[in-house]
Amino acid sequence: MWNRLVSGMSEELATVVAIDGQHAWVECERRSACSGCHQQSNCGTGTVAKAFPLQAQRLRVALTIEVSVGQQVRLGIPQASILQGAALVYVLPLFCLLAGALLGQLWLAPLLSAGEGVTILSCLLGGLIGFSLVRYFSNRLDQGRYGPQMIGVVVPVRILP
């Protein structure tokens, strides 16, 4: 099952809004996961999702098929990149935050003969370093095999009279 999850792709429909050399700019509509739940009226997350309007997200995608402006295309995002992105965004800052706290508590506080203030500052510094690393690595992962890929053009269905 793990191989199927990692080797698969999540698909999304997008509209081509511009073509720029070997890349196309496409827009995808952001959707909230709260639209299908039966607990919408009792859920705080559903209330927050209703308060913010959904916006189109613009992406730059390498041209792998011939498209024109206005066409709808299917984009694929590898499952592996989604899993690695989630690990990058959630685990790395948390790890750096905890490492900063441990460093402050076990090394800096005794070295400086200081109290909890040094531990708190080193914890915050570790979190800041973690978020900086996320930004650095996410800029590198956007390109190549981790970014969205064009799978095909959506052909409208015509109904014969």
Side-chain angles (χ1 to χ4, degrees):
M1 179 179 163
W2 178 254
N3 289 336
R4 242 181 28 204
L5 179 67
V6 172
S7 65
M9 284 194 150
S10 292
E11 293 184 16
E12 185 69 39
L13 290 179
T15 304
V16 178
V17 293
I19 297 177
D20 179 23
Q22 296 298 317
H23 293 84
W25 287 95
V26 297
E27 283 188 353
C28 302
E29 183 181 315
R30 284 190 203 177
R31 286 184 253 136
S32 172
C34 295
S35 61
C37 181
H38 297 292
Q39 298 296 325
Q40 285 181 341
S41 60
N42 298 330
C43 178
T45 305
T47 305
V48 171
K50 289 177 189 173
F52 294 103
L54 298 179
Q55 298 175 349
Q57 183 173 6
R58 187 173 273 205
L59 302 170
R60 185 174 182 234
V61 181
L63 283 173
T64 55
I65 54 177
E66 190 175 324
V67 295
S68 60
V69 174
Q71 279 186 311
Q72 278 199 324
V73 293
R74 282 187 4 225
L75 298 179
I77 301 172
Q79 292 284 343
S81 69
I82 294 171
L83 294 173
Q84 288 174 351
L88 179 71
V89 169
Y90 292 112
V91 176
L92 184 61
L94 184 63
F95 175 77
C96 290
L97 186 94
L98 292 174
L102 284 173
L103 179 74
Q105 181 69 30
L106 300 177
W107 186 66
L108 283 177
L111 181 70
L112 299 174
S113 299
E116 291 180 357
V118 171
T119 303
I120 293 170
L121 286 175
S122 64
C123 179
L124 292 174
L125 181 64
L128 183 64
I129 290 170
F131 283 114
S132 298
L133 288 172
V134 165
R135 185 174 185 153
Y136 173 77
F137 286 125
S138 68
N139 287 338
R140 295 208 178 265
L141 290 178
D142 274 346
Q143 307 301 323
R145 64 184 179 144
Y146 292 104
Q149 304 163 3
M150 279 192 196
I151 297 174
V153 177
V154 177
V155 179
V157 178
R158 296 179 192 209
I159 300 174
L160 298 173

